[in-house]
Amino acid sequence: MKKTILTGIRPTGNLHIGHYFGACKRWVEYQDEYDCYFEIADVQALTDNFDNPLKVRNNVFELVIDLLSIGIDPKKATIFLQSAVPEIAELTVYYSNLVTMSRLYRNPTVKTEIAQKKALFGNDGESVTYGFVGYPVSQAADITAFMGELIPVGEDQLPLIEQCREIVRKFNNIYGTTLKEPEAILGKNPRIKGLDGSLKMGKSLGNAIYLADSPSVIKEKVMGAITDPDKIRKDDKANPDKCMVYYYHQLFSGKDLNTINKECQEGLRGCVACKMQLVDNICNYLEPIRKRREYYLAHMDLVKEIIMEGNKKARLKAKDTLKKVKHAMKIDYFEQ
Ligand code: TRP
């Protein structure tokens, strides 16, 4: 029996190379070895964007196309929408009795996000909603609905996985062993830095290269990337470790890396030429992804079919779990 992998992603923007190298590239590799469920977490995205539903809606198809373009194969893995599986919402209600408010407020991920909101809106947190504070419960439902065993996530998500494990243990203790305790799998790759050198690549930071970017956009972005500020002239010696262009060469320029490093340190390569080489390598790397993206964009009916098929498969599995949960909770009145 293959183990079950479940992970989710919020549809709030297109995939960038930070997502790709940090997480999604691994997902493609998992498809052959595991029974994989990839959830487009639109309901969770609404906890933050309930007043901007179009932002979520408009990103759902984009994100599915991104996933298909990087090589997620609907014949091997299940891509589905959270909102299309109402069993997840139902499980969330049942689990909500098993989590105290203070435990939710102490959840480090929730805590950090609330602090960010306070800083952003400058209030005392009155705008923090019930749905937002409770999203770890909903995420536990995402995971357990599919009996997810291995959960590939970034480090920031570990407290949510821990919270899910607690819910599972409590459920099993009270109602009898029904659910599986999931385990996080952390990626080996550190977070990919942004074009401006900041620690995080993100849409709101305007420092991302998207998988969907055209060669001309990639060129423009790379040309603006930060290089060693002490290198002024073409033949000045420089420190590649202070240069974002070299940082990305490490991701895209494999076999040429040693030469690039040496030439940079010895003052044998100008930054413009070095950037042009990076542009070429990124464009070549992303070309097959972009091609597939164009194909799917021209075949939206197929994309819709893939999602509907995924929803159906996901729902079947979630229904099975819900049946077991209701049985354990003694609310399966009409089942034998
Ligand atoms: N909270 C995750 C994020 O923001 C997305 C997510 C939703 C998720 N449901 C999940 C991750 C279930 C792992 C398992 O990145």
Side-chain angles (χ1 to χ4, degrees), residues 6-10 39 41 44 139 142-143 151 153 157 160:
L6 176 128
T7 193
I9 182 159
R10 296 183 183 198
E39 178 188 271
Q44 188 177 110
Q139 186 156 321
D142 291 342
I143 294 170
I151 318 298
V153 283
Q157 295 287 304
L160 296 179

Side-chain angles (χ1 to χ4, degrees), residues 32-50:
D32 292 311
E33 228 179 301
Y34 300 98
D35 193 11
C36 291
Y37 289 88
F38 299 116
E39 178 188 271
I40 310 296
D42 57 345
V43 178
Q44 188 177 110
L46 282 168
T47 61
D48 256 348
N49 298 285
F50 62 87

Side-chain angles (χ1 to χ4, degrees), residues 173 204 233 249 273 278 305:
N173 267 334
S204 50
R233 271 176 297 271
H249 269 305
L278 177 62
E305 226 172 87

